[in-house]
Amino acid sequence: MPYSIDVEQLRTFLAVAELGSFTKAGDAVHKTQSAVSMQMKKLEERIGQPIFVKDGRNSRITEHGRRLVEYARRMVALNDETLSAFHEPEIAGRIRLGLPDDYAERLLPQVLAAFNRLNPCINLDVECSSSNEIGRRIQKGDLDVGIVTSGDCTSVPGQIVRREPLQWIGSREHIVHDQRPLRLAVGPTTCSWRQAGVAALDHLNVQHQVVYTSASAAALAGAVNAGLAIAILPASALRQGQRILGEKEGLPPLPPCDITIIRSQMAIEPVHDALCHHIVASIGNVTMEYNGMETEAAE
């Protein structure tokens, strides 16, 4: 019996590990769910250990599977590098992607890094800007694809790919939420998160004051951690040293936050399809973990 591992099984394995389900992985590697299941069964037999366990509708990677990930990445990368030295890649090109800085910080490590591993011949040029500015540049054709906040970009129609709770975020070291007027660190007046928070406070007649304004999520997080104010951010934006505040702290509930993918009318090549399909398939599966607490996309 040969002591070797099928590279295509490893490629499918990485897709399942990155995307969290056999169905989504099948879409990414152009295989049926049953074909993916068969490949993973054969790979487990070759490894001699379970690499996935069922977790509701999704599949959760085991400790053995996590050990296999890095080996698989190296083997697939070497395989692709070898083949590309002698053949033109099936899909290759460059994509100009725009997204706000907070999405870049939260999504780049998982969604876009996974895309790069699955599509090593597609190069991404990433530009960070406000959702509104990204929409404007998409309209002009300066960008190909954008990931934006729905309420902040109304100029270009798009597809909602993730919904998560919008939260009041405060520091673990400071008790700013007890002060009145309530001190807020928020985005510019066009920011839908700011508008939702201010409207909710006004509805309960909670005195508030905007003391820090920035389009940068990192700057807002700095203001929160310094005890200058509380912020209004998605649950997955929670950082170390911060906590979610709610009704027990006298703060009103907030509406959910929708993340949308938009696309230029000129972005019609297979490379653009590949990125958009990957984002749609994987962005809802992103899980953030800070201070031992996981936050996921809302159902």
Side-chain angles (χ1 to χ4, degrees), residues 84-151:
S84 65
F86 299 94
H87 303 280
E88 288 294 325
E90 291 185 7
I91 302 180
R94 185 173 298 276
I95 304 174
R96 299 165 300 172
L97 173 68
L99 67 169
D101 73 324
D102 59 324
Y103 293 166
E105 182 180 8
R106 291 183 288 144
L107 302 180
L108 277 171
Q110 295 187 53
V111 175
L112 300 186
F115 177 79
N116 178 256
R117 286 189 287 269
L118 294 172
N119 302 274
C121 296
I122 299 179
N123 295 316
L124 291 178
D125 293 334
V126 180
E127 177 177 318
C128 294
S129 188
S130 67
S131 294
N132 188 52
E133 175 64 13
I134 291 167
R136 187 185 69 80
R137 290 177 60 78
I138 287 282
Q139 278 188 312
K140 290 179 60 180
D142 294 337
L143 293 173
D144 301 313
V145 178
I147 304 175
V148 299
T149 300
S150 293

Side-chain angles (χ1 to χ4, degrees), residues 11-30 36 52 57-61 73 110-112 114-115 117-119 274-275 277-287:
R11 194 185 306 278
T12 302
F13 162 71
L14 288 175
V16 178
E18 300 284 7
L19 302 178
S21 82
F22 283 20
T23 301
K24 292 177 181 178
D27 291 339
V29 297
H30 311 294
V36 170
F52 290 108
R57 291 175 298 174
N58 294 333
S59 297
R60 180 167 52 83
I61 194 168
R73 285 174 179 165
Q110 295 187 53
V111 175
L112 300 186
F115 177 79
R117 286 189 287 269
L118 294 172
N119 302 274
L275 177 61
H277 291 161
H278 177 82
I279 291 172
V280 171
S282 61
I283 198 171
N285 192 54
V286 172
T287 301

Side-chain angles (χ1 to χ4, degrees), residues 204-253:
L204 290 184
N205 295 317
V206 176
Q207 286 185 308
H208 56 274
Q209 177 184 6
V210 174
V211 299
Y212 197 98
T213 303
S214 176
S216 166
L220 297 180
V224 168
N225 288 349
L228 296 176
I230 67 170
I232 304 162
L233 294 167
S236 61
L238 191 70
R239 298 170 182 239
Q240 198 145 20
Q242 297 176 350
R243 63 184 176 124
I244 292 176
L245 306 171
E247 294 186 46
K248 68 179 182 179
E249 288 84 19
L251 297 172

Side-chain angles (χ1 to χ4, degrees), residues 3 5 11 32 35 53 59 81 88 93 131 178 186 191 206 231 256 272:
Y3 292 95
I5 299 178
R11 194 185 306 278
T32 64
V53 292
S59 297
E81 181 183 344
E88 288 294 325
S131 294
D178 281 345
V186 291
C191 174
V206 176
H272 305 121

